[in-house]
Amino acid sequence: MKLKKNPKADLNKKSGLFFVIGLVLVLFVVWRALELRSYPNEKESIEIFTVVDDIDEVVPITETLKLPPPPAPPAAPEIIEVVENVAEIEETVIQSTEINQETVVEEATLKVEDVVVVEEEEEDVEVPFAVIENVPVFPGCTGQNNEALKACFQKKIQEHIQKHFTYPDVAVELGIEGRVYVQFIIDNTGEIIQIKTRGPDKLLEKEANRIIAALPQMVPGKQRGRSVKVSYIIPITFRLQ
């Protein structure tokens, strides 16, 4: 006769349920382990900086100068001699230089040798071109009056500038342009002197000076029939196209 187990005592009957419960518990533990966060313990650190003043004040050493004592006053002479004033003083008589109607004045004799001839010095006069009585005459200019000679002078100046004008290469490369004002003087011999330039750049001023310095000698201007210096101002425009 075979032995039969009690169905209630069968352990394998609920093994699947126990497996599922165990699996759920393991998954729960793993999930909680993954979700667990750890925070580092941050300790506040306080740093104290101590500033040490190592600067020592240096007191300058002063030396006391020993001055010598002041000199003693000279001793008074023991015996004082009294000297009598026996010198005679001559009185100076001042004669009066005033004259009246009764005073006779002697005529002075004047000799030829005593006459000094004083030469009249010519004043160095400088007259502007706009108000000169007789303007300087540019070579090749002819005219019957001062206005015609003035117009011819200005025309010849413009032609001279156009003929001798050269744009500096460095100024072209740098793109320098502008207007240069040139002032010069035609002296009493017709020469060009005292050229002064004022412009936006030294290169342009140098070229304007060269152009004016090449002007020919002219017939000098006259004021009251005498040759004088004449000042003239002209602008020279440097423009890149």
Side-chain angles (χ1 to χ4, degrees):
M1 187 177 177
K2 294 181 181 182
L3 295 176
K4 295 183 179 180
K5 294 182 180 181
N6 189 358
K8 295 182 179 179
D10 190 3
L11 298 177
N12 294 326
K13 184 180 181 179
K14 297 182 179 179
S15 61
L17 178 62
F18 294 150
F19 177 75
V20 172
I21 293 173
L23 183 60
V24 170
L25 291 175
V26 171
L27 292 175
F28 179 77
V29 172
V30 173
W31 175 71
R32 292 302 301 174
L34 294 175
E35 291 294 327
L36 183 63
R37 296 180 181 180
S38 61
Y39 299 95
N41 295 330
E42 296 181 357
K43 296 182 180 180
E44 296 182 357
S45 59
I46 301 175
E47 297 181 0
I48 300 175
F49 295 93
T50 305
V51 179
V52 180
D53 189 4
D54 294 334
I55 302 175
D56 297 331
E57 184 178 0
V58 178
V59 180
I61 301 174
T62 58
E63 296 181 358
T64 304
L65 299 177
K66 296 182 180 181
L67 299 176
E78 299 179 356
I79 302 174
I80 299 175
E81 298 180 357
V82 179
V83 179
E84 296 182 359
N85 188 6
V86 295
E88 296 182 358
I89 300 174
E90 296 182 358
E91 295 182 359
T92 303
V93 179
I94 301 175
Q95 298 180 354
S96 176
T97 57
E98 296 182 359
I99 61 175
N100 49 32
Q101 297 179 353
E102 299 178 356
T103 305
V104 178
V105 179
E106 296 181 358
E107 295 182 1
T109 304
L110 186 62
K111 298 180 181 179
V112 180
E113 294 80 2
D114 298 334
V115 178
V116 179
V117 179
V118 179
E119 296 182 358
E120 182 179 358
E121 296 181 359
E122 294 184 0
E123 297 180 0
D124 192 8
V125 181
E126 180 181 328
V127 183
F129 183 85
V131 297
I132 188 70
E133 291 180 356
N134 299 106
V135 297
V137 180
F138 200 99
C141 284
T142 57
Q144 298 179 356
N145 53 32
N146 195 52
E147 293 299 326
L149 291 174
K150 183 182 295 185
C152 181
F153 179 92
Q154 295 174 348
K155 180 181 177 182
K156 291 290 186 180
I157 286 285
Q158 295 295 337
E159 293 176 355
H160 173 84
I161 293 174
Q162 294 175 3
K163 180 180 178 181
H164 295 81
F165 182 86
T166 302
Y167 215 113
D169 295 336
V170 180
V172 174
E173 295 176 0
L174 299 177
I176 301 173
E177 59 181 3
R179 178 172 295 179
V180 179
Y181 290 90
V182 185
Q183 179 181 359
F184 60 93
I185 293 177
I186 306 168
D187 66 3
N188 51 12
T189 63
E191 297 288 344
I192 306 299
I193 60 172
Q194 298 181 16
I195 302 174
K196 299 178 182 179
T197 57
R198 181 170 59 88
D201 191 83
K202 294 295 184 182
L203 294 173
L204 305 185
E205 291 181 357
K206 184 178 179 180
E207 176 61 19
N209 190 303
R210 184 192 67 81
I211 294 172
I212 299 302
L215 285 171
Q217 186 175 4
M218 309 177 190
V219 178
K222 293 183 178 181
Q223 186 77 6
R224 297 180 182 178
R226 186 164 58 92
S227 299
V228 294
K229 295 180 179 179
V230 180
S231 60
Y232 190 81
I233 301 176
I234 184 171
I236 300 177
T237 303
F238 292 79
R239 184 176 299 168
L240 296 171
Q241 298 180 354

